[in-house]
């Protein structure tokens, strides 16, 4: 096969590979899935009903590339209220999931040899896409002792005239770290000073356990260079519906919509109609789900911390626990593999999230307390046996 060179720079999201291996093992043993980052709850009924109604009403055709005007308006209102800022519907582009916002933003901004700073450990698709589009990925390490918050002073040392974009993610995957208002202010100052764009991945904005959500969009000076990524997958348990959105300056929204015309034409129209219901309908099931995540977080962090050689920070948001496992004396990739093969618990090595994830494991607690309770003693047995 003669493929384009860029294919050698395309990475992946190992969670999907691990899911396949774990599924294959299910014919031999009981497997607890703590690898994949998706809510185990069903999409709330009123949202499913809205999709069925939309199909019956004929929302089965192409729609505008930037998204249905009524959903763009609903997103502007909802996302603006969440962040305490005014958002114009023209600034919103609806995409098939949040991931395309990442890809499109990098496509629109990054040229050969431009540098892009991104958090590491972090969502693996940032590094993959930056390299694939010809940019140079510049990792910034998230330190456990700094609660996995990006260190703004360290960030300032990484920025140079070739830096085009800084990616931030809060609440963060895989660490559960959350940036403070002060962190965000310093990041915004750095971006402004050096004329750099920011891609703020806020997909976990509402999966936050303490305090209120702080968005970098609170600093109006940065609006001209800010792309916010958010979506429906996590908050509304809608991973399979594939609807996300970007919020950005109007001129940039026009560019992203044009990329969308080229790549996907538009986002599924009946899914978009259901998303209006998600934003405007009752919140009971969502609030219950968030309450359940908090219980699970406390349960898994306590359990993991009791395993010899593990220490685990309390995640402030998202639904991942990221324990340091260096104390076990077992390499994290070997440990993740053995926990799955020998004990039927699927989790990910920290290195799936970049080189600075070495020495850690990621457990998604988007699974029931009963299943987490089944997994914990199995992991302990393996570590104690070595
Ligand atoms: N950003 C982060 C940090 C994520 O963890 C994910 C999904 O796991 C996404 C973006 C993309 O989500 P989706 O494309 O399902 O909206």
């Amino acid at each position: 096969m003669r493929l384009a060179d860029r294919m050698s720079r395309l990475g992946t999201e190992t969670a999907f590979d691990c899911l396949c291996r774990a599924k294959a093992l299910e014919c031999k043993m009981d497997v607890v899935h703590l690898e994949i980052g998706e809510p185990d709850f069903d999409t709330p009924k009123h949202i499913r009903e809205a999709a069925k109604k939309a199909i019956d009403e004929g929302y089965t055709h192409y729609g505008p590339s930037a998204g249905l005007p009524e959903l763009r308006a609903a997103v502007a209102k909802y996302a603006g209220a969440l962040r305490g800022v005014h958002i114009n519907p023209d600034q919103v582009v609806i995409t098939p999931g949040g991931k395309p916002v990442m890809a499109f933003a990098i496509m629109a901004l990054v040229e050969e040899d431009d540098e892009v700073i991104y958090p590491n450990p972090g969502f693996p698709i940032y590094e993959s896409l930056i390299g694939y589009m010809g940019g140079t990925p510049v990792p910034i390490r998230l330190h456990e002792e700094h609660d996995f918050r990006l260190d703004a002073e360290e960030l300032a040392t990484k920025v140079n005239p070739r830096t085009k974009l800084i990616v931030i993610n809060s609440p963060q995957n895989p660490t559960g770290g959350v940036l403070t208002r002060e962190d965000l202010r310093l990041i915004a100052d750095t971006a402004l000073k050096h004329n750099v764009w920011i891609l703020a991945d806020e997909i976990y904005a509402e999966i936050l356990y303490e305090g209120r959500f702080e968005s970098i969009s609170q600093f109006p000076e940065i609006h001209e260079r800010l792309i916010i990524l958010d979506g429906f997958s996590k908050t509304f348990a809608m991973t399979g519906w594939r609807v996300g959105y970007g919020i950005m300056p109007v001129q940039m929204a026009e560019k992203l919509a044009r990329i969308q015309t080229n790549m996907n034409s538009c986002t599924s129209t009946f899914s978009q109609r259901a998303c209006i219901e998600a934003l405007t309908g009752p919140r009971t099931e969502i609030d219950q789900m968030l309450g359940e995540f908090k219980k699970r977080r406390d349960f898994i962090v306590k359990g993991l911390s009791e395993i010899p050689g593990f220490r685990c920070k309390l995640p402030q948001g998202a639904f991942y626990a990221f324990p340091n496992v260096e104390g076990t004396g077992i390499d994290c990739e070997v440990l993740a593999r053995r926990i799955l093969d020998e004990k039927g618990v699927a989790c990910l090595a920290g290195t799936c999230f970049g080189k600075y994830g070495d020495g850690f494991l990621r457990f998604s607690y988007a699974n029931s307390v009963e299943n987490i309770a089944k997994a914990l003693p199995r992991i302990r047995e393996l570590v104690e046996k070595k």
Side-chain angles (χ1 to χ4, degrees), residues 106-177:
I106 296 170
M107 272 184 198
L109 288 169
V110 177
E111 290 179 280
E112 202 70 25
D113 296 330
D114 280 348
E115 294 188 359
V116 181
I117 301 174
Y118 68 98
N120 188 316
F123 191 52
I125 300 303
Y126 308 138
E127 181 176 331
S128 167
L129 286 174
I130 298 161
Y132 184 69
M133 308 289 181
T136 305
V138 178
I140 177 155
R141 185 175 193 153
L142 302 186
H143 299 272
E144 183 186 9
E145 53 281 14
H146 198 60
D147 295 326
F148 297 113
R149 284 162 32 225
L150 187 151
D151 183 335
E153 277 179 29
E154 203 171 326
L155 176 69
T157 67
K158 303 250 172 206
V159 180
N160 67 49
R162 283 167 57 203
T163 310
K164 194 59 156 299
L165 174 69
I166 299 169
V167 181
I168 58 172
N169 174 213
S170 176
Q172 211 244 357
N173 176 7
T175 66

Side-chain angles (χ1 to χ4, degrees), residues 97-99 102 123 126 169 173 201 203-204 233-234 242:
K99 266 182 182 169
M102 240 173 253
F123 191 52
Y126 308 138
N169 174 213
N173 176 7
D201 183 342
I203 196 107
Y204 296 102
S233 292
K234 316 288 176 177
R242 308 312 301 137

Side-chain angles (χ1 to χ4, degrees), residues 5 28 119 122 221 354 358 362:
D5 267 2
K28 280 204 271 172
E221 318 83 81
D358 196 15
R362 190 196 79 169

Side-chain angles (χ1 to χ4, degrees), residues 339-353:
I339 291 176
L340 176 59
D341 293 345
E342 297 174 35
K343 295 291 173 185
V345 177
C347 67
L348 298 179
T351 44
C352 298
F353 302 91

